[in-house]
Amino acid sequence: MKLRQRVGLAVLRHPLEEGGDLAPKILEQAAEALRGAGMEVVEAPKFIEDSERSVIVGRHFYDQRVPVIVIAVATWSADSNLLDMLEECSVPIVTWALPGMNTGSMCGCQQLCYVLKELGRPYRFVYGATNDQEVVASIASYVMAINLAAVLRKTRMGLVGYRVPGMTEVSFDELELKAVLGPRTVHYGLDTLEKTMAEIPEADALAVWRKRMTQVNKVTVSEAGLVDSMRGYLALKRLAEQDGLSGMAVECYPQFMGRLCLAASLLADEGIVVGCEADMNSTVAMLILTLLTGQPVHNTDGLGVDMAENSIVFSHCGSGSMNLAESPDKIEIGHVRLMHGGACVLFPGKPGPVTLINLVGRRGTYRMGIARGEAIPTDMVFAGNPTKVVLEGGARDYLEVIAREGLGHHWIIGYGDVRRPLQQFCDLLRVPTCQCGQLA
C-alpha cells in the first residue's frame, strides 16, 4: 500500500519587488524538485500577487482537493493575499523562503508565519534553494504527514467481536478514535464471521491455498486446518470489500487462535491490515506505519530482553506477511502455540533499520510511543515471527519509558526510518508522543 503524496504548489510575489520576474523559473524548479521526491504536484494556474489571483488559485486548489499547499515566496508580498487564498482552500501550508538579499523572501515568509500562527492555522516553514535536498526532504515529510491525516479521515476499520477478556488495555472509544485520528469503526459479531466462513466452498478455499502459498515448502498442519484458514482469508476479504475497510481488529484469543493468522498474512500484502485481540488502536497503528513505509509491518509483543546487546525480541503468534521473512526457505506453516491447532505462518523477521510505534489511549489520553532500532538476524526463538531489534538509546531506557508513560504491549514494527513524518502527523493531530530510548 503506497500513500499518495499530493501537494499544491504556488509562487507568491509582489509586482514592485526585486526578483518577481523569477517566479516562472521558481515554479518550474520547485515542481521538479518536489516531483523528484515522489510527490504529486498540482501547480497553481497563476502567480499569487493580488487578491483576485489569490482567489483564483485557492479555488483551483479546492477543486483539485489538495490536502496541503507549498507557497514558494519569490519576494516580500502582502500577507493578505495568502489569507484570501486560504479562504477558498483552508488546508495546511508550507512557507518556502528562498535565498536572496534583495527579494525580501525570508522576511516576507516570516511575516506569513506570524499571521498563520496568530490565526491557529497549521503550517511549516523551510528555508533554502529549490535544489536543496534537505529542504525538499523536510517538505516531503510534512506532506506525507498531512496526506496520512487526510487518508485516515476517510478510513473505515472493522471490529470483529469485542476486546479480549482480561485485556482492558485494548479497549477504545470509537468516537474519540474518529475525532482524534479519523477512522470510523464498523462492527461485526463473531457469529457474522463464522457464518461468512461457513458459506465459502472448500474448493474455493483450496484454490486460494494453491495459488497464494506455493512458495511454502514446509507445512505441518492438516488440510482441514488449511481450508479453515483460507475460508478465514476469503471471509475477511469479503467483509473488507463489502464495506470499504482498510483494516480489521479481530477477537482471536482464545477461540479463534490460529484460524485467522494466514488471513492476516495474505491480506497484509493486499494493503489490508488485520490486528489481533480486537486491539483497534494497534490496528490503526499498523495502518499508519504501513502507509508511511509503503510495505507490510510486524504486529508484535515485546518478549525477550538482552541488556548486554540492548536488544529485544518482538513477536506474536505468526500472522506477518511472508515478505517480511528473513528468507523464503525459513517459512513454515505450523500450528499456533498453546492451542496446538490452527495454522500460522512462522519465520524469523528480516534484518534492517526499523521504526517501532505503539498507540494507546481513550478520551483525552491518546499518545504514541515511537522508537528506532536495527533488526538483526535471529533464530526461531519464539513460535511466530520473531524479530530481534537492537534499540537506539538502549533497551533499559526503552523499557523505562514504556512503564513511565503507560504504553501498551502491542508494538508495530515497520522497515525504514519514518520518525519525522510520524512526529509531524502527531503534532498536527495534537497527539503527544513518547520517544522511547531517550529518557527525559
Side-chain angles (χ1 to χ4, degrees):
M1 181 188 294
K2 185 174 178 58
L3 179 68
R4 293 182 68 189
Q5 298 182 53
R6 299 187 70 242
V7 59
L9 174 64
V11 176
L12 181 65
R13 69 178 183 183
H14 193 289
L16 297 180
E17 294 291 332
E18 183 177 328
D21 59 319
L22 297 177
K25 184 177 181 181
I26 290 171
L27 181 66
E28 178 185 354
Q29 291 178 338
E32 182 180 358
L34 297 181
R35 290 190 177 106
M39 284 170 264
E40 299 177 22
V41 180
V42 177
E43 296 181 25
K46 294 181 179 295
F47 301 118
I48 300 175
E49 58 185 40
D50 55 38
S51 180
E52 181 181 354
R53 294 183 182 220
S54 300
V55 170
I56 291 171
V57 170
R59 288 177 180 173
H60 175 74
F61 286 146
Y62 176 80
D63 290 341
Q64 295 295 318
R65 298 298 191 269
V66 296
V68 56
I69 300 170
V70 173
I71 301 293
V73 180
T75 72
W76 177 90
S77 183
D79 49 45
S80 56
N81 291 331
L82 178 62
L83 298 183
D84 288 340
M85 185 202 73
L86 285 173
E87 290 302 327
E88 305 297 329
C89 185
S90 182
V91 297
I93 295 292
V94 177
T95 61
W96 190 347
L98 302 165
M101 180 70 71
N102 299 321
T103 64
S105 175
M106 184 176 68
C107 65
C109 218
Q110 291 179 328
Q111 180 178 325
L112 296 178
C113 292
Y114 167 82
V115 174
L116 292 169
K117 179 72 172 180
E118 289 296 316
L119 293 176
R121 303 270 191 168
Y123 70 93
R124 179 165 181 79
F125 165 81
V126 296
Y127 171 83
T130 54
N131 62 354
D132 188 321
Q133 293 304 304
E134 178 55 34
V135 168
V136 174
S138 179
I139 294 173
S141 67
Y142 188 68
V143 167
M144 187 178 291
I146 299 296
N147 277 269
L148 174 61
V151 167
L152 289 183
R153 287 290 161 200
K154 299 179 180 179
T155 293
R156 299 173 191 166
M157 303 291 286
L159 178 64
V160 184
Y162 187 57
R163 71 166 177 83
V164 172
M167 204 174 287
T168 312
E169 170 209 325
V170 305
S171 60
F172 77 106
D173 180 338
E174 66 178 272
L175 291 178
E176 187 73 353
L177 176 69
K178 176 63 185 171
V180 176
L181 293 163
R184 177 165 69 83
T185 305
V186 181
H187 290 261
Y188 308 91
L190 286 174
D191 59 328
T192 300
L193 178 59
E194 287 272 26
K195 181 177 181 294
T196 307
M197 290 173 66
E199 292 171 352
I200 295 170
E202 180 178 325
D204 290 356
L206 286 173
V208 172
W209 169 261
R210 296 188 186 104
K211 180 179 180 180
R212 298 289 302 274
M213 310 294 283
T214 54
Q215 71 271 45
V216 180
N217 297 319
K218 187 175 182 181
V219 179
T220 56
V221 301
S222 67
E223 183 175 285
L226 298 177
V227 168
D228 186 63
S229 291
M230 294 302 99
R231 280 177 167 150
Y233 160 74
L234 290 170
L236 292 182
K237 184 178 175 72
R238 181 184 298 179
L239 294 176
E241 292 176 345
Q242 167 189 299
D243 293 319
L245 307 178
S246 297
M248 285 167 278
V250 182
E251 182 190 347
C252 54
Y253 183 92
Q255 69 183 89
F256 266 88
M257 280 185 69
R259 297 184 65 188
L260 300 172
C261 291
L262 292 187
S265 176
L266 294 177
L267 288 170
D269 293 329
E270 300 173 25
I272 300 172
V273 297
V274 178
C276 301
E277 295 161 350
D279 186 348
M280 180 59 77
N281 286 332
S282 72
T283 306
V284 172
M286 291 177 69
L287 179 61
I288 289 171
L289 209 49
T290 296
L291 288 168
L292 289 182
T293 63
Q295 58 183 308
V297 297
H298 291 292
N299 176 22
T300 73
D301 296 343
L303 300 172
V305 182
D306 186 331
M307 289 298 183
E309 191 178 49
N310 275 322
S311 70
I312 295 180
V313 172
F314 295 86
S315 190
H316 217 259
C317 295
S319 59
S321 162
M322 288 179 284
N323 289 314
L324 301 178
E326 180 183 4
S327 167
D329 297 335
K330 295 185 178 181
I331 299 174
E332 174 188 351
I333 305 300
H335 291 313
V336 66
R337 63 184 294 272
L338 302 179
M339 302 298 283
H340 310 294
C344 293
V345 54
L346 311 174
F347 57 78
K350 65 182 180 181
V354 293
T355 302
L356 304 89
I357 65 172
N358 178 276
L359 180 65
V360 293
R362 51 185 180 82
R363 185 173 295 275
T365 70
Y366 262 114
R367 56 200 180 278
M368 180 180 287
I370 303 175
R372 165 78 175 83
E374 185 79 19
I376 61 175
T378 185
D379 296 326
M380 281 298 297
V381 294
F382 186 87
N385 311 131
T387 303
K388 180 186 281 192
V389 179
V390 176
L391 292 152
E392 185 177 289
R396 189 177 300 280
D397 285 355
Y398 166 88
L399 296 174
E400 289 281 354
V401 172
I402 291 173
R404 186 185 69 212
E405 301 295 340
L407 299 177
H409 75 283
H410 285 148
W411 281 83
I412 314 306
I413 304 175
Y415 287 87
D417 186 352
V418 292
R419 287 174 295 176
R420 182 154 66 173
L422 269 173
Q423 184 64 58
Q424 292 172 336
F425 167 77
C426 289
D427 290 345
L428 181 72
L429 273 54
R430 296 183 174 86
V431 174
T433 58
C434 317
Q435 295 291 336
C436 298
Q438 299 175 22
L439 280 176

